[in-house]
Amino acid sequence: MNVSFKYLIVGLLLNFSVLAQKNDSLFLIAAVAKMQHAKEYSIKVANLMPEEKYLFQPINGEMSFGEQLVHLSQNIGWLCTSYLGGLENPVKKTDLKVWKKEEIVTVLNSTYDYAIYTLQHLAPARLSDKVSFFAGPLNKLQIVNLLNDHQTHHRAQILVYLRLNGIKPPDYIGW
């Protein structure tokens, strides 16, 4: 192999490395914006349901409206703390027992703020780091995607809860 071909290969590898880092940075910028919009939308949804309906569940065995929000918050805090290098989870065990609308919205707000902070401080180079997840090894990029998928799943359920109570959900706030 001649010297110029070796330099070409090294140059290409360096360019791919720089491009990958740039893509990781762009991914995190988008993830932060998406989480900020998710927070805004989730808070609007939470505020629409009257307090007396926070215990509403469409059928026995399903989580109530309030329980869905607390579960969503707990999961966001757990994923950020356990897998993304976040600080101390803002959702405490005592928060899992809150039932009043105001308390739940406070937990929801602090959890989203925590997730946004965690994503803002996650180094792009760490997205490929492997973590030991209960369902098998994942990388941190997959955890960020799971973070979004899980909260979207539960928020979608409570949109149905709103409709079952004759309440029109707010217009969607996307990316």
Side-chain angles (χ1 to χ4, degrees):
M1 199 182 293
N2 68 32
V3 173
S4 58
F5 185 71
K6 287 181 184 178
Y7 285 128
L8 175 65
I9 297 297
V10 169
L12 286 173
L13 290 174
L14 287 174
N15 282 334
F16 287 135
S17 175
V18 169
L19 183 59
Q21 289 173 359
K22 183 177 180 180
N23 285 340
D24 287 348
S25 293
L26 291 174
F27 173 81
L28 282 173
I29 290 167
V32 168
K34 187 174 182 179
M35 192 61 63
Q36 289 167 331
H37 291 137
K39 173 189 176 186
E40 183 181 344
Y41 190 65
S42 295
I43 298 300
K44 282 185 177 187
V45 169
N47 283 326
L48 271 177
M49 186 66 96
E51 177 151 6
E52 65 273 9
K53 296 289 188 171
Y54 261 60
L55 294 176
F56 172 80
Q57 56 190 128
I59 60 170
N60 286 337
E62 289 295 321
M63 286 187 273
S64 70
F65 184 88
E67 287 171 322
Q68 291 273 9
L69 291 171
V70 172
H71 173 74
L72 182 154
S73 296
Q74 186 277 331
N75 184 264
I76 289 172
W78 171 67
L79 289 172
C80 287
T81 300
S82 299
Y83 302 104
L84 298 179
L87 305 171
E88 186 177 340
N89 188 341
V91 182
K92 307 293 180 222
K93 289 199 185 285
T94 55
D95 292 331
L96 301 177
K97 301 295 179 201
V98 297
W99 299 108
K100 293 187 180 214
K101 177 179 179 175
E102 182 180 334
E103 296 169 331
I104 292 173
V105 172
T106 297
V107 169
L108 193 63
N109 254 314
S110 65
T111 302
Y112 273 109
D113 287 345
Y114 172 64
I116 291 164
Y117 177 87
T118 300
L119 291 172
Q120 288 171 331
H121 291 87
L122 180 59
R126 306 302 308 255
L127 286 172
S128 61
D129 289 358
K130 292 284 185 195
V131 297
S132 179
F133 194 68
F134 73 91
L138 297 175
N139 62 41
K140 289 186 180 197
L141 187 142
Q142 291 171 301
I143 296 293
V144 173
N145 285 329
L146 176 60
L147 181 69
N148 285 304
D149 288 348
H150 186 265
Q151 57 102 22
T152 299
H153 165 76
H154 286 282
R155 193 179 55 234
Q157 289 179 325
I158 63 174
L159 293 178
V160 175
Y161 289 27
L162 286 176
R163 291 221 183 257
L164 289 171
N165 282 280
I167 301 167
K168 181 187 178 298
D171 291 337
Y172 180 67
I173 300 169
W175 297 86

Short mmCIF file of all heavy atoms in Angstrom, two decimals, residues 24 27 79 83-84 122 124-133 136-147:
data_model
loop_
_atom_site.label_atom_id
_atom_site.label_comp_id
_atom_site.label_asym_id
_atom_site.label_seq_id
_atom_site.Cartn_x
_atom_site.Cartn_y
_atom_site.Cartn_z
N ASP A 24 -24.03 13.24 16.52
CA ASP A 24 -24.41 13.00 17.92
C ASP A 24 -24.80 14.31 18.61
O ASP A 24 -25.76 14.34 19.38
CB ASP A 24 -23.25 12.33 18.68
CG ASP A 24 -23.06 10.87 18.28
OD1 ASP A 24 -23.95 10.31 17.60
OD2 ASP A 24 -22.03 10.30 18.65
N PHE A 27 -28.19 15.25 17.34
CA PHE A 27 -29.20 14.38 17.96
C PHE A 27 -29.56 14.89 19.35
O PHE A 27 -30.75 14.96 19.70
CB PHE A 27 -28.68 12.93 18.04
CG PHE A 27 -29.61 12.04 18.80
CD1 PHE A 27 -30.74 11.49 18.20
CD2 PHE A 27 -29.37 11.74 20.15
CE1 PHE A 27 -31.61 10.68 18.91
CE2 PHE A 27 -30.24 10.93 20.85
CZ PHE A 27 -31.35 10.40 20.25
N LEU A 79 -34.73 6.54 34.23
CA LEU A 79 -33.88 6.38 33.05
C LEU A 79 -32.73 7.39 33.05
O LEU A 79 -31.58 7.04 32.76
CB LEU A 79 -34.69 6.51 31.76
CG LEU A 79 -35.64 5.35 31.45
CD1 LEU A 79 -36.52 5.69 30.25
CD2 LEU A 79 -34.88 4.06 31.21
N TYR A 83 -29.21 5.55 33.75
CA TYR A 83 -28.56 5.22 32.49
C TYR A 83 -27.93 6.39 31.74
O TYR A 83 -27.11 6.18 30.87
CB TYR A 83 -29.56 4.51 31.56
CG TYR A 83 -30.11 3.27 32.19
CD1 TYR A 83 -31.39 3.24 32.72
CD2 TYR A 83 -29.32 2.13 32.30
CE1 TYR A 83 -31.89 2.10 33.32
CE2 TYR A 83 -29.81 0.98 32.91
CZ TYR A 83 -31.09 0.97 33.41
OH TYR A 83 -31.56 -0.16 34.01
N LEU A 84 -28.33 7.62 32.06
CA LEU A 84 -27.80 8.75 31.31
C LEU A 84 -26.86 9.63 32.14
O LEU A 84 -26.42 10.67 31.68
CB LEU A 84 -28.95 9.60 30.75
CG LEU A 84 -29.86 8.88 29.76
CD1 LEU A 84 -30.97 9.81 29.29
CD2 LEU A 84 -29.07 8.34 28.58
N LEU A 122 -25.36 15.73 28.73
CA LEU A 122 -24.86 14.45 28.25
C LEU A 122 -23.88 14.70 27.11
O LEU A 122 -24.21 15.37 26.13
CB LEU A 122 -26.04 13.59 27.76
CG LEU A 122 -25.72 12.20 27.22
CD1 LEU A 122 -25.02 11.34 28.27
CD2 LEU A 122 -27.01 11.52 26.76
N PRO A 124 -21.99 14.21 23.83
CA PRO A 124 -22.33 13.48 22.61
C PRO A 124 -21.53 12.20 22.43
O PRO A 124 -22.06 11.19 21.97
CB PRO A 124 -22.03 14.49 21.49
CG PRO A 124 -22.18 15.82 22.14
CD PRO A 124 -21.71 15.63 23.55
N ALA A 125 -20.27 12.22 22.82
CA ALA A 125 -19.42 11.04 22.66
C ALA A 125 -19.89 9.88 23.53
O ALA A 125 -19.51 8.73 23.29
CB ALA A 125 -17.97 11.39 23.00
N ARG A 126 -20.73 10.15 24.53
CA ARG A 126 -21.21 9.10 25.44
C ARG A 126 -22.44 8.36 24.91
O ARG A 126 -22.87 7.36 25.48
CB ARG A 126 -21.54 9.68 26.83
CG ARG A 126 -20.45 10.48 27.52
CD ARG A 126 -19.16 9.72 27.75
NE ARG A 126 -19.29 8.45 28.39
CZ ARG A 126 -18.99 8.18 29.66
NH1 ARG A 126 -18.54 9.11 30.44
NH2 ARG A 126 -19.13 6.97 30.13
N LEU A 127 -23.02 8.83 23.81
CA LEU A 127 -24.23 8.20 23.28
C LEU A 127 -24.01 6.75 22.88
O LEU A 127 -24.93 5.95 22.91
CB LEU A 127 -24.78 8.99 22.09
CG LEU A 127 -25.48 10.30 22.43
CD1 LEU A 127 -25.81 11.08 21.16
CD2 LEU A 127 -26.74 10.04 23.25
N SER A 128 -22.80 6.41 22.50
CA SER A 128 -22.53 5.03 22.08
C SER A 128 -22.14 4.14 23.27
O SER A 128 -21.97 2.93 23.09
CB SER A 128 -21.43 5.00 21.02
OG SER A 128 -20.24 5.54 21.54
N ASP A 129 -22.01 4.71 24.47
CA ASP A 129 -21.67 3.91 25.65
C ASP A 129 -22.75 2.87 25.90
O ASP A 129 -23.95 3.18 25.89
CB ASP A 129 -21.56 4.80 26.90
CG ASP A 129 -20.34 5.69 26.90
OD1 ASP A 129 -19.53 5.62 25.96
OD2 ASP A 129 -20.22 6.48 27.87
N LYS A 130 -22.31 1.66 26.16
CA LYS A 130 -23.24 0.57 26.48
C LYS A 130 -23.63 0.65 27.95
O LYS A 130 -22.83 1.00 28.80
CB LYS A 130 -22.60 -0.80 26.22
CG LYS A 130 -22.37 -1.09 24.76
CD LYS A 130 -23.64 -1.44 24.06
CE LYS A 130 -23.36 -1.86 22.62
NZ LYS A 130 -24.55 -1.86 21.83
N VAL A 131 -24.90 0.33 28.23
CA VAL A 131 -25.39 0.25 29.59
C VAL A 131 -26.06 -1.11 29.77
O VAL A 131 -26.56 -1.70 28.81
CB VAL A 131 -26.37 1.39 29.94
CG1 VAL A 131 -25.70 2.75 29.85
CG2 VAL A 131 -27.60 1.36 29.04
N SER A 132 -26.06 -1.58 30.99
CA SER A 132 -26.69 -2.85 31.31
C SER A 132 -28.14 -2.58 31.66
O SER A 132 -28.45 -2.08 32.74
CB SER A 132 -25.95 -3.52 32.47
OG SER A 132 -26.58 -4.73 32.80
N PHE A 133 -29.03 -2.88 30.73
CA PHE A 133 -30.47 -2.64 30.91
C PHE A 133 -31.14 -3.96 31.20
O PHE A 133 -30.69 -5.00 30.73
CB PHE A 133 -31.03 -2.00 29.63
CG PHE A 133 -32.39 -1.41 29.77
CD1 PHE A 133 -32.60 -0.28 30.55
CD2 PHE A 133 -33.47 -1.97 29.12
CE1 PHE A 133 -33.86 0.27 30.68
CE2 PHE A 133 -34.74 -1.42 29.24
CZ PHE A 133 -34.94 -0.30 30.03
N GLY A 136 -31.67 -6.23 28.38
CA GLY A 136 -30.48 -6.52 27.58
C GLY A 136 -29.67 -5.25 27.39
O GLY A 136 -30.16 -4.14 27.64
N PRO A 137 -28.42 -5.40 26.96
CA PRO A 137 -27.56 -4.23 26.81
C PRO A 137 -28.09 -3.25 25.75
O PRO A 137 -28.59 -3.67 24.71
CB PRO A 137 -26.21 -4.81 26.40
CG PRO A 137 -26.41 -6.25 26.12
CD PRO A 137 -27.77 -6.64 26.57
N LEU A 138 -28.01 -1.98 26.07
CA LEU A 138 -28.39 -0.91 25.16
C LEU A 138 -27.29 0.14 25.20
O LEU A 138 -26.47 0.17 26.11
CB LEU A 138 -29.71 -0.27 25.59
CG LEU A 138 -30.96 -1.14 25.61
CD1 LEU A 138 -32.14 -0.36 26.19
CD2 LEU A 138 -31.30 -1.62 24.21
N ASN A 139 -27.31 1.05 24.23
CA ASN A 139 -26.43 2.21 24.35
C ASN A 139 -27.26 3.40 24.81
O ASN A 139 -28.49 3.33 24.85
CB ASN A 139 -25.66 2.47 23.04
CG ASN A 139 -26.56 2.79 21.86
OD1 ASN A 139 -27.55 3.51 22.00
ND2 ASN A 139 -26.24 2.24 20.71
N LYS A 140 -26.58 4.47 25.17
CA LYS A 140 -27.29 5.62 25.74
C LYS A 140 -28.21 6.28 24.72
O LYS A 140 -29.25 6.83 25.09
CB LYS A 140 -26.29 6.62 26.33
CG LYS A 140 -25.64 6.08 27.59
CD LYS A 140 -24.77 7.10 28.28
CE LYS A 140 -24.18 6.46 29.53
NZ LYS A 140 -23.66 7.46 30.46
N LEU A 141 -27.86 6.22 23.45
CA LEU A 141 -28.75 6.75 22.43
C LEU A 141 -30.08 6.00 22.46
O LEU A 141 -31.15 6.60 22.38
CB LEU A 141 -28.11 6.64 21.05
CG LEU A 141 -28.89 7.32 19.93
CD1 LEU A 141 -27.93 7.99 18.95
CD2 LEU A 141 -29.78 6.36 19.20
N GLN A 142 -30.04 4.69 22.62
CA GLN A 142 -31.26 3.90 22.72
C GLN A 142 -32.06 4.26 23.97
O GLN A 142 -33.29 4.25 23.95
CB GLN A 142 -30.93 2.41 22.69
CG GLN A 142 -30.42 1.94 21.33
CD GLN A 142 -29.89 0.52 21.39
OE1 GLN A 142 -28.97 0.22 22.15
NE2 GLN A 142 -30.48 -0.36 20.59
N ILE A 143 -31.36 4.57 25.05
CA ILE A 143 -32.04 4.98 26.28
C ILE A 143 -32.77 6.31 26.06
O ILE A 143 -33.90 6.49 26.51
CB ILE A 143 -31.06 5.07 27.47
CG1 ILE A 143 -30.47 3.69 27.79
CG2 ILE A 143 -31.73 5.70 28.70
CD1 ILE A 143 -31.45 2.67 28.34
N VAL A 144 -32.13 7.25 25.34
CA VAL A 144 -32.79 8.52 25.04
C VAL A 144 -34.05 8.26 24.22
O VAL A 144 -35.11 8.86 24.48
CB VAL A 144 -31.84 9.50 24.31
CG1 VAL A 144 -32.58 10.75 23.85
CG2 VAL A 144 -30.66 9.88 25.20
N ASN A 145 -33.96 7.37 23.25
CA ASN A 145 -35.15 7.04 22.46
C ASN A 145 -36.23 6.38 23.33
O ASN A 145 -37.41 6.69 23.19
CB ASN A 145 -34.78 6.13 21.29
CG ASN A 145 -34.08 6.90 20.19
OD1 ASN A 145 -34.34 8.08 19.97
ND2 ASN A 145 -33.19 6.23 19.49
N LEU A 146 -35.82 5.50 24.23
CA LEU A 146 -36.76 4.87 25.15
C LEU A 146 -37.43 5.90 26.05
O LEU A 146 -38.63 5.84 26.31
CB LEU A 146 -36.05 3.80 25.99
CG LEU A 146 -36.87 3.11 27.07
CD1 LEU A 146 -38.06 2.38 26.47
CD2 LEU A 146 -35.98 2.14 27.85
N LEU A 147 -36.64 6.85 26.51
CA LEU A 147 -37.15 7.94 27.34
C LEU A 147 -38.33 8.62 26.65
O LEU A 147 -39.38 8.84 27.25
CB LEU A 147 -36.00 8.92 27.60
CG LEU A 147 -36.21 10.15 28.43
CD1 LEU A 147 -36.41 9.75 29.89
CD2 LEU A 147 -34.98 11.04 28.32
#
